[in-house]
Amino acid sequence: MPTDENADNEAQQNAGPPYQTAKGVHDILPKDHDYYTFIKKVVRHRCRQAGFRRISTPVFEYTDVFRRSIGDTSDIVSKEMYTFEDRKGRSLTLRPEGTAGVVRSYIQNGMNSWPQPVELYYIENFFRYDRPQKGRYRQFWQFGFEVIGESDPALDAQVIYLSNKILDDLGIAQLFTLQLNSIGSSEDRQNFAQALKDFYFGKERSLCANCKQRLDKNPLRLLDCKEEDCRILAQIAPKMSDHLSEESKEYHEELKEYLGELGIEYHENPSLVRGLDYYTKTVFEFWDKTDGAQNAIGGGGRYDGLIELMGGQPTPACGFAAGIERIIANMKREKIRVPQKDDLHVFVAQLGKEAKKKCLPLIVDLRDNGIRTMGALGKGAIKTQLRLADKFKVPYTIIIGITEVRENAAIVRDMRVGTQKTVPFDKVVDEIIKRIGEENRDMYSPGEAIY
Ligand code: AMP
């Protein structure tokens, strides 16, 4: 009997070339990289402005890091992790989300002795054995940030503000509503979980198979089930807001005041619980205005108990993460274009060995001057090379033939209008800089090292 996965592979292979991407993953082709580059730039810029520093944790961790933090009853741990044994039989898992690794790192690296709160951000790829569909992949990218070490509704408000600001910079904030809820402290949640169990007692038959299973271990998840019957019941189920302690209520009210001060609109959503076990108090998500939770672009919240749960000192924290593939899909939907940093400025065409000898140092010189240059160094006829230049959509082509070698010059051709002029060889670079504009040069500037 073939396994499911073998059957998938067979189906794929029958449909096309023998080797294809594995199910649920995809190549990022050059055109899409322009989006990834742009998004990363915006995230880096806004996070830096807000005092966050970048962290990268390993692609895989010991499985317990995720099991302990995300929780055995979560969908991620129970169904979606890529877990394998290494050669010594240790159980490892490809990271399905960012917070667990960052928290592990905070504890392991003694970050509690750093000035608090520690503000970290990441831009990484993650892995979940999700059912592949539009906007849902088995390898995907997220950016996210965490504020660890302090608890104050003003910090939650800032995390929400920063999330919203980035979506705004990317031109898509208006497509989403901010859904906000408080799931209280862990005692509040225990009380509420009991109230939910009491409510659902005797109604099990109306629940979907998933919820029947979740009722015992994680009844809060029943509130955000997408199945019709479960949704109807969830609407009349007890509300978290009725089970919040005074302290949790005050915290939430204060957060809403700060959001008001920051001019951030939100929608109070008593059913919002988020999929992961570690949240406390504030939870929030950005939902697509047209199809709601199905296409949430990102979410986050406070997780005051997690660091202690993972073996650290009791330390409050909150964070956010958003999916980059979904952001790109929305930017495309809005027809938002991003700078195409890879577009070539110049194509160099040549004819004959002597011309080639002049071309090689010229190409180096052009590139060193920040001009993105492609050279046709094969043996094609000038006409063929010009056709190629057209295909690359370069604005300018430099042509060096036998005459130009003899006259120590080069032809600079404007490909868009078809005009050309002969320029002394040692003036070619200046001529191109003048034409593309000083500000469009692609100069490498690593910044100055401090010794
Ligand atoms: P989560 O940690 O599950 O709330 O995910 C945060 C965000 O990451 C989601 O709102 C999505 O934008 C994105 N995301 C989560 N899972 C996937 C996936 N399988 N494929 C693509 N994006 C995902």
Side-chain angles (χ1 to χ4, degrees), residues 13-165:
Q13 288 177 9
N14 288 339
Y19 297 106
Q20 301 187 19
T21 47
K23 188 171 174 176
V25 297
H26 57 99
D27 300 312
I28 302 175
L29 298 178
K31 255 195 165 3
D32 271 345
H33 257 297
D34 291 336
Y35 282 90
Y36 283 85
T37 306
F38 181 71
I39 294 166
K40 287 178 193 175
K41 211 168 157 180
V42 168
V43 170
R44 280 204 304 264
H45 172 71
R46 286 297 178 195
C47 286
R48 254 198 321 256
Q49 269 186 341
F52 285 74
R53 303 188 68 191
R54 187 163 178 180
I55 185 167
S56 290
T57 60
V59 169
F60 56 82
E61 301 266 359
Y62 288 123
T63 301
D64 278 348
V65 169
F66 302 116
R67 287 192 53 189
R68 186 81 182 131
S69 57
I70 305 171
D72 280 333
T73 59
S74 64
D75 284 351
I76 291 184
V77 172
S78 60
K79 298 188 247 177
E80 296 172 358
M81 297 207 303
Y82 279 93
T83 297
F84 55 95
E85 281 187 1
D86 71 5
R87 286 167 189 270
K88 289 266 165 70
R90 305 175 190 100
S91 180
L92 300 170
T93 293
L94 297 183
R95 59 184 175 208
E97 57 94 59
T99 304
V102 172
V103 164
R104 193 260 317 127
S105 174
Y106 179 92
I107 301 168
Q108 183 175 347
N109 293 293
M111 292 187 207
N112 58 346
S113 65
W114 297 9
Q116 305 290 303
V118 175
E119 299 190 331
L120 300 167
Y121 76 98
Y122 57 83
I123 308 170
E124 308 284 6
N125 49 358
F126 295 95
F127 306 85
R128 292 184 195 173
Y129 194 84
D130 239 328
R131 197 148 49 89
Q133 49 188 292
K134 197 169 139 273
R136 199 167 282 284
Y137 309 101
R138 290 182 173 175
Q139 178 185 345
F140 57 96
W141 284 79
Q142 282 185 344
F143 69 82
F145 30 87
E146 318 287 352
V147 178
I148 309 178
E150 259 181 54
S151 171
D152 193 292
L155 289 174
D156 305 30
Q158 282 203 324
V159 165
I160 293 175
Y161 179 81
L162 182 57
S163 320
N164 192 60
K165 187 78 186 169

Side-chain angles (χ1 to χ4, degrees), residues 79-292:
K79 298 188 247 177
E80 296 172 358
M81 297 207 303
Y82 279 93
T83 297
F84 55 95
E85 281 187 1
D86 71 5
R87 286 167 189 270
K88 289 266 165 70
R90 305 175 190 100
S91 180
L92 300 170
T93 293
L94 297 183
R95 59 184 175 208
E97 57 94 59
T99 304
V102 172
V103 164
R104 193 260 317 127
S105 174
Y106 179 92
I107 301 168
Q108 183 175 347
N109 293 293
M111 292 187 207
N112 58 346
S113 65
W114 297 9
Q116 305 290 303
V118 175
E119 299 190 331
L120 300 167
Y121 76 98
Y122 57 83
I123 308 170
E124 308 284 6
N125 49 358
F126 295 95
F127 306 85
R128 292 184 195 173
Y129 194 84
D130 239 328
R131 197 148 49 89
Q133 49 188 292
K134 197 169 139 273
R136 199 167 282 284
Y137 309 101
R138 290 182 173 175
Q139 178 185 345
F140 57 96
W141 284 79
Q142 282 185 344
F143 69 82
F145 30 87
E146 318 287 352
V147 178
I148 309 178
E150 259 181 54
S151 171
D152 193 292
L155 289 174
D156 305 30
Q158 282 203 324
V159 165
I160 293 175
Y161 179 81
L162 182 57
S163 320
N164 192 60
K165 187 78 186 169
I166 291 172
L167 296 182
D168 196 36
D169 283 349
L170 297 173
I172 55 170
Q174 72 288 356
L175 303 179
F176 298 89
T177 56
L178 169 61
Q179 307 283 317
L180 183 69
N181 192 21
S182 171
I183 53 170
S185 64
S186 61
E187 294 96 82
D188 298 345
R189 282 174 71 177
Q190 269 169 24
N191 294 337
F192 181 48
Q194 191 52 53
L196 284 176
K197 281 185 192 168
D198 294 346
F199 168 80
Y200 282 106
F201 183 76
K203 301 185 181 68
E204 293 87 347
R205 282 212 321 217
S206 314
L207 295 172
C208 72
N210 243 343
C211 283
K212 271 186 200 137
Q213 274 188 358
R214 293 195 281 218
L215 180 56
D216 191 38
K217 290 201 176 123
N218 197 354
L220 266 71
R221 291 300 315 281
L222 270 63
L223 298 179
D224 72 353
C225 179
K226 313 285 177 306
E227 297 291 330
E228 183 69 18
D229 286 350
C230 300
R231 270 182 20 204
I232 294 170
L233 274 178
Q235 274 167 14
I236 53 165
K239 298 275 172 283
M240 183 73 229
S241 51
D242 296 328
H243 291 80
L244 291 181
S245 64
E246 278 313 307
E247 196 238 321
S248 299
K249 269 188 205 155
E250 267 171 37
Y251 192 96
H252 197 56
E253 288 308 312
E254 218 177 302
L255 166 62
K256 289 190 287 184
E257 278 173 38
Y258 294 144
L259 291 178
E261 290 297 322
L262 290 166
I264 295 187
E265 286 177 27
Y266 56 85
H267 175 81
E268 283 254 43
N269 181 345
S271 307
L272 187 71
V273 296
R274 307 264 304 130
L276 319 180
D277 278 4
Y278 53 59
Y279 287 106
T280 48
K281 293 188 179 148
T282 310
V283 286
F284 65 96
E285 278 182 1
F286 289 92
W287 284 10
D288 190 309
K289 280 186 178 158
T290 51
D291 52 11

